[in-house]
Amino acid sequence: MKPARPELDPLYRLWLHPSPGPLPGASPTQIAEAEMESAGRRATLHLDPSHTELGTDGFEIGPGDRVIATTEKGLLSGTYRWLQEEAPRIEVPRVALRMLQHWDDLDGFVERGYAGRSLFDWSTLPDHPDPRLWDYARACASVGINAICPTNVNAAAEVLRPAFLHKAAALADLLRPYGIRLFLTARFSAPMELDGLPTADPLDPEVRAWWTHKLAEIYRRIPDFGGLVVKANSEGQPGPQDYGRTHAEGANLLAEALAPHGGRVLWRAFVYSDQPSTDRAAQAYDEFAPLKDQFLPQVQIQVKYGPIDFQPREPYHPLFGTLAPSQAVMEFQITKEYLGFSSHLAFLASLWREVLAAPLDQGAVSGAVSGIVGVANLGDEPSWCGSLFDQANWFAFGRLSWDPELAPASIAEEWVRLTLGPDPNVAGKVTEMLLRSHEAVVNTMTPLGLAHLMGSGHHYGPAPWADDLPREDWNPTYFHRADREGIGFDRTATGSGQLLQYPPGWQARWSDPATIDLNYLLWFHHLGWDHQLTTGRTVWQELVHRYHWGCREVAAIREIWAGLEPFLPRAVHQPALEKLDIQMEESEWWRDACLAYFGSLCRRAWPEGYPQPKKSLAEYRAIRHEGIAGDPAR
Ligand code: GCV
């Protein structure tokens, strides 16, 4: 059920001034004027094509409240930024493609969504778009997002049916003045499913003709269509390998059909073999690196930030910096599938900056990363994101994809000021909460480089013991490899060898357990429980220490927020406090369940000064959950 008047909720406003409401048919300049009117402040707008240094999206904020850009789109971006921060400056985006991808099914279910149902109600399109879509567009535009894909990568072929494209065209018309281009997901078997072709083989002439006609049809309806997003031969989705063809042959089929229209194909590299024989973390690299010279220029390879799957912490994916001359796009997950859904506070700019560090080190984000996409955390709840603090992640995604060099602290400060106001009693404290939050969540769930300990399927809560899924590499036990003797996944040359996929400098950083950053220790190394660490503790003691440290951090963050009650409206403060209470409970559950389990394997003395788990391992193992939000097996 849609909330009747979501705009009346105090969280609806996001980081923005009051909305001017739907502006059907308005140009970007008219929208900029309406926004200033609504904010009660006015800059002068100058369209000046001679400022080529600003590109098409950039802008200058000049002295005397002048916004200068070469395009109307640039003027609108500049206006939003001027309304956020008036100081004179030039801003030009460092990354060309800054895209939100929604995992929304056509029936309104949001895969891994924790904020209600889809914002896109296709039954009302094309004639009666939900007024909320204009507020969605302005929020995206206000942080520099310039593309969206509203349909799930686990794609329905129906997305490409004429009746749906008619609806999609109406959405594209609505988004266009905000400088946002529409992409759609393509199911690789669509020619068979929609038009009864006997095959979807990318080298089959009839299949090629089908895609050529389909793209021509899309561009007739949506002249500035961005392109297609494809998940192929991954987790059961159809793809070119069904016909003995490569990912390059599959992607190029679509690239050729898109080329005459200037569109792109975002081809996902989230693949792992159906018959796992090698380390899962190695498989996407093994599959894609040998193909890097074979992709057409219209292909952008969309790679998750880490080699497994959006874990609370992962080392960066070794495909970044490897794929040239092909282009790589970095994929983030704004929705917190593995970081506590919308009930935990985890400010993700901290995580994203960590994984951007390698491409940044290599000197050129635009070389190693030609685009940044984020899996949206949005739904039809009045708060858009399920909680106040998750709004910060939508904001941070936009800001960081515009400028990947931005420091998490400056993004946090900006969001806090715009969302909660400049009150010095509040601003510094909430910024501090955000900046401490990611590390806290990592430590309450997967400290020391552990990964994928979550409950099977729905990914809610801890289940480090789970070992009964049909695929070995879906089980937590596959990832942590703990037994009586030790814990961790040996990915060094003497183990799976996945570490060798990284450039020598990174190999050197991570190959020695004595010098590796402990945050990646058990990701790359299998160590005995009694192995001594530089902290003075053994591996077992350090694990206990970090789980407890994480929970103490969550308690401290909650306390800071509780203390802000006198300074914030109750309707803003109270729901966030309730979420922090849930986080506190769930963090203790995570800590105690994981330590009960690992403790039962290692059977070492319980380190002094740390309380033991509140319940027995059997009790934790008996906990069952059903009907969890966002679970595709609903
Ligand atoms: C859209 C993870 C999620 C799936 C998701 C997949 C992907 O495995 O659990 O829900 O599917 O990633 O990124 O394709």
Side-chain angles (χ1 to χ4, degrees):
M1 263 287 282
K2 267 204 174 116
R5 302 284 307 275
E7 68 279 12
L8 299 182
D9 189 289
L11 294 185
Y12 183 86
R13 185 183 63 83
L14 296 161
W15 50 86
L16 289 150
H17 52 274
S19 167
L23 297 166
S27 69
T29 309
Q30 288 167 333
I31 296 172
E33 299 285 349
E35 291 285 4
M36 291 191 285
E37 179 80 33
S38 198
R41 287 186 288 143
R42 178 147 290 277
T44 51
L45 306 183
H46 299 270
L47 200 57
D48 185 349
S50 71
H51 281 270
T52 48
E53 75 283 3
L54 300 176
T56 55
D57 291 14
F59 52 84
E60 178 175 349
I61 295 177
D65 296 327
R66 288 159 49 86
V67 179
I68 305 150
T70 67
T71 62
E72 282 200 65
K73 178 167 76 163
L75 278 187
L76 180 58
S77 296
T79 303
Y80 281 122
R81 286 295 290 145
W82 174 80
L83 286 165
Q84 292 162 5
E85 168 73 69
E86 291 178 0
R89 65 202 185 274
I90 289 179
E91 285 196 27
V92 179
R94 307 245 337 260
V95 176
L97 180 71
R98 307 175 298 276
M99 180 177 190
L100 267 192
Q101 292 184 357
H102 296 258
W103 286 354
D104 294 12
D105 290 343
L106 302 187
D107 65 1
F109 173 74
V110 182
E111 183 160 346
R112 312 306 179 182
Y114 312 107
R117 292 180 59 78
S118 177
L119 285 174
F120 307 102
D121 180 353
W122 298 104
S123 68
T124 63
L125 286 164
D127 296 328
H128 304 288
D130 184 342
R132 189 167 178 171
L133 291 175
W134 277 273
D135 286 340
Y136 162 76
R138 73 190 278 263
C140 288
S142 75
V143 290
I145 291 166
N146 67 352
I148 69 143
C149 181
T151 53
N152 194 346
V153 289
N154 287 333
E158 287 66 34
V159 167
L160 301 176
R161 257 194 219 295
F164 183 85
L165 293 174
H166 190 46
K167 294 167 184 284
L171 179 61
D173 290 344
L174 188 156
L175 297 170
R176 187 170 299 114
Y178 290 87
I180 300 169
R181 289 174 92 177
L182 185 81
F183 285 64
L184 292 172
T185 45
R187 186 165 166 86
F188 202 76
S189 54
M192 299 165 77
E193 290 179 50
L194 297 186
D195 287 315
L197 265 62
T199 176
D201 182 346
L203 301 193
D204 181 278
E206 237 193 307
V207 171
R208 300 173 85 82
W210 189 92
W211 284 107
T212 303
H213 287 128
K214 184 50 75 183
L215 267 306
E217 178 193 348
I218 296 178
Y219 277 93
R220 271 197 305 279
R221 295 174 188 275
I222 311 174
D224 60 348
F225 182 61
L228 299 171
V229 180
V230 186
K231 172 175 177 177
N233 291 122
S234 163
E235 300 186 324
Q237 296 298 307
Q241 293 178 333
D242 302 349
Y243 309 94
R245 314 296 184 197
T246 65
H247 279 281
E249 286 167 320
N252 290 347
L253 161 77
L254 304 178
E256 274 174 19
L258 283 155
H261 312 285
R264 343 249 332 143
V265 54
L266 296 191
W267 189 269
R268 294 177 91 228
F270 176 63
V271 299
Y272 49 95
S273 149
D274 286 341
Q275 276 89 37
S277 50
T278 54
D279 178 0
R280 169 153 160 201
Q283 292 174 14
Y285 182 100
D286 287 347
E287 187 82 49
F288 277 80
L291 301 176
K292 64 183 183 143
D293 297 315
Q294 295 177 29
F295 291 95
L296 289 173
Q298 293 78 14
V299 179
Q300 286 176 284
I301 302 169
Q302 182 173 317
V303 184
K304 291 188 181 182
Y305 58 79
I308 289 184
D309 189 7
F310 297 139
Q311 292 306 293
R313 172 171 275 132
E314 296 193 33
Y316 81 95
H317 201 304
L319 278 173
F320 294 109
T322 300
L323 284 170
S326 293
Q327 297 179 59
V329 164
M330 190 177 277
E331 181 175 351
F332 294 142
Q333 196 181 42
I334 313 171
T335 190
K336 303 205 309 301
E337 174 182 357
Y338 295 103
L339 287 117
F341 299 1
S342 58
S343 40
H344 289 209
L345 162 55
F347 181 55
L348 298 177
S350 315
L351 166 66
W352 299 335
R353 273 297 311 220
E354 269 180 27
V355 282
L356 278 164
L360 287 170
D361 269 9
Q362 288 159 15
V365 162
S366 49
V369 177
S370 63
I372 297 187
V373 314
V375 180
N377 62 351
L378 304 177
D380 67 358
E381 284 192 4
S383 69
W384 299 88
C385 306
S387 81
L388 169 70
F389 296 123
D390 283 300
Q391 297 182 350
N393 287 329
W394 183 12
F395 179 87
F397 169 76
R399 298 291 293 122
L400 205 57
S401 56
W402 177 276
D403 181 359
E405 302 260 25
L406 282 178
S410 78
I411 300 174
E413 274 161 21
E414 209 179 316
W415 176 80
V416 172
R417 174 175 54 80
L418 295 169
T419 306
L420 299 175
D423 182 345
N425 293 304
V426 173
K429 294 206 167 105
V430 181
T431 302
E432 182 193 334
M433 289 170 64
L434 294 179
L435 295 176
R436 287 167 70 175
S437 63
H438 172 248
E439 203 61 52
V441 169
V442 169
N443 281 286
T444 57
M445 291 183 185
T446 52
L448 283 173
L450 290 172
H452 227 304
L453 307 184
M454 294 77 193
S456 304
H458 49 58
H459 298 154
Y460 175 63
W465 47 79
D467 61 358
D468 56 351
L469 287 170
R471 285 182 61 123
E472 188 199 2
D473 63 351
W474 284 349
N475 284 315
T477 50
Y478 167 90
F479 290 101
H480 62 65
R481 314 211 143 198
D483 58 18
R484 175 90 179 83
E485 310 305 326
I487 181 168
F489 202 126
D490 183 0
R491 297 195 158 99
T492 66
T494 53
S496 78
Q498 192 259 341
L499 178 58
L500 306 179
Q501 294 176 340
Y502 289 91
W506 289 91
Q507 286 184 36
R509 244 182 247 206
W510 289 330
S511 61
D512 184 350
T515 54
I516 191 173
D517 175 344
L518 292 185
N519 289 330
Y520 300 111
L521 183 71
L522 302 177
W523 183 282
F524 286 113
H525 297 279
H526 183 86
L527 297 171
W529 291 110
D530 301 320
H531 179 92
Q532 277 292 331
L533 300 174
T534 44
T535 56
R537 291 181 274 266
T538 65
V539 167
W540 164 239
Q541 291 163 346
E542 188 68 30
L543 204 61
V544 175
H545 172 74
R546 291 201 176 206
Y547 272 114
H548 278 271
W549 181 86
C551 285
R552 282 202 304 276
E553 275 294 280
V554 172
I557 289 169
R558 188 203 163 280
E559 273 320 292
I560 298 176
W561 185 253
L564 294 177
E565 198 202 323
F567 308 107
L568 290 166
R570 190 178 156 73
V572 171
H573 186 263
Q574 186 61 25
L577 186 63
E578 282 165 19
K579 296 271 182 183
L580 288 166
D581 286 339
I582 297 173
Q583 179 173 4
M584 193 65 250
E585 254 171 52
E586 293 187 354
S587 301
E588 291 178 356
W589 170 33
W590 262 95
R591 176 195 67 197
D592 289 353
C594 289
L595 290 179
Y597 169 71
F598 291 126
S600 77
L601 294 177
C602 81
R603 288 182 261 154
R604 301 299 194 274
W606 194 268
E608 254 176 58
Y610 299 89
Q612 300 219 15
K614 293 184 189 127
K615 297 183 188 165
S616 70
L617 176 58
E619 284 171 290
Y620 288 116
R621 290 184 70 137
I623 297 174
R624 293 276 175 279
H625 288 284
E626 276 173 23
I628 299 296
D631 182 359
R634 66 196 183 279

